[in-house]
Each structure stands twice: as structure tokens, then as C-alpha cells.
Amino acid sequence: MKALGALLLLGGTGMWCLMRRREGMLPVRVGRALLADLAVLAYQIRVRRTPLPELLEDVLTEGLGAAFLWKPLAQRLQEEGAALPRCWRESVQALPAPLGKLLAPLGPLLPEGGGTLAEAVEETREELTGFLREETARQASQGRITAALSLAGASLAILVLL
């Protein structure tokens, strides 16, 4: 029975560490999806001259980027009928921190389109790439520390209970 309890305690600790890691990596996963989506957005607007509503309905419909940004943006545009910059600002505020802060400057430029928007998208993609690089390294380090402390605490609890 003691061995079963120890295994359950270690298993629970391991599952908690995995859930914590998955939760901490959400901004990175969403950021990577948005990084790819921004490249598609820039190409579709600059080269193909696709209107934004059509992009939101036909092109940017899959993945985490769609779930966190593009679908809510499309819904806000349809329901509220508000100005695009305002809908963009509200949509990016719902993103995991600090992604909203990185993407917010694109809102006022979306109605303009063209070269100005393309340059802004490229700058945003560079900032997002830097954030993803730093956050991935930070999460890896923090994950190792969290796992070590959790397993040490579980081991101490097992020793005390035995």
C-alpha cells in the first residue's frame, strides 16, 4: 500500500508538471500560429489584394491563431459593425500576454493596407520572433526548475509518510 501511495504521489506530481508546462507554453504556441498567419495576411493583402473580411472567412480559419484572434475578430466585425481598428484592439486584448501588446500597433494600419501595412506586419513578425525565442528559453528553464522542485517535494512527502 505504501508503494502504491508513493507511485500515486509521484504520478500526480508528474501530471501537475506536465499540465503546468502546457499552460505556460500557450503564449508560445499561439504566438507561433500568429507568426505564420501574419505572413499569410501580408501576402494576401499585398500581393493578392484580398479584402480582410474574405481573408477572415476563407483563409485564416484554422489553428490556434484562428481560435484566439481571427474568428473573434470576424465575429466582432459582423456583430458590432464597428470600425476595424476598434475591433482589432478588442480582439488582441483577449490574447495571452504579451501577444496583444505586440499585435496592437497593426490595428490602425489595417484599413490602409498596401506597403505601410506590409512593413508594419514584417516589423511585428520580427518582434514576435524575438519574443518567441526568449519565451521558449525562459519556459524551458522554468520548466526544469518547477519539475525539480515538485519532484523534490513529492520525494520528501514520501519519505515523511513512510
Side-chain angles (χ1 to χ4, degrees):
M1 276 313 227
K2 289 181 182 182
L4 180 61
L7 286 175
L8 287 174
L9 189 58
L10 287 173
T13 301
M15 288 300 295
W16 181 81
C17 287
L18 288 175
M19 288 180 8
R20 180 94 169 130
R21 176 171 164 71
R22 183 176 301 142
E23 181 181 301
M25 290 299 286
L26 181 64
V28 173
R29 291 188 355 248
V30 172
R32 286 181 184 150
L34 290 175
L35 186 65
D37 289 349
L38 285 174
V40 171
L41 176 76
Y43 171 76
Q44 290 289 333
I45 288 177
R46 186 174 10 132
V47 177
R48 300 201 56 209
R49 305 270 187 214
T50 308
L52 187 62
E54 185 179 324
L55 269 172
L56 296 175
E57 292 175 6
D58 298 335
V59 179
L60 300 171
T61 58
E62 296 179 7
L64 282 175
F68 278 87
L69 179 63
W70 307 117
K71 287 181 183 177
L73 178 62
Q75 288 175 344
R76 280 188 177 89
L77 287 171
Q78 287 176 354
E79 292 171 1
E80 297 176 15
L84 179 58
R86 186 174 136 230
C87 291
W88 178 266
R89 184 177 57 247
E90 292 171 359
S91 297
V92 296
Q93 286 175 350
L95 291 172
L99 297 176
K101 186 177 178 182
L102 292 171
L103 294 174
L106 292 178
L109 300 174
L110 282 172
E112 293 177 21
T116 307
L117 177 62
E119 290 174 12
V121 167
E122 286 307 312
E123 287 178 24
T124 302
R125 289 189 77 233
E126 288 175 15
E127 290 177 14
L128 192 54
T129 301
F131 161 74
L132 291 173
R133 188 177 309 114
E134 292 170 8
E135 185 66 13
T136 301
R138 189 185 74 76
Q139 287 291 337
S141 174
Q142 185 178 8
R144 286 190 290 270
I145 292 170
T146 300
L149 289 175
S150 300
L151 290 174
S155 298
L156 181 63
I158 290 169
L159 287 174
V160 168
L161 295 175
L162 289 180

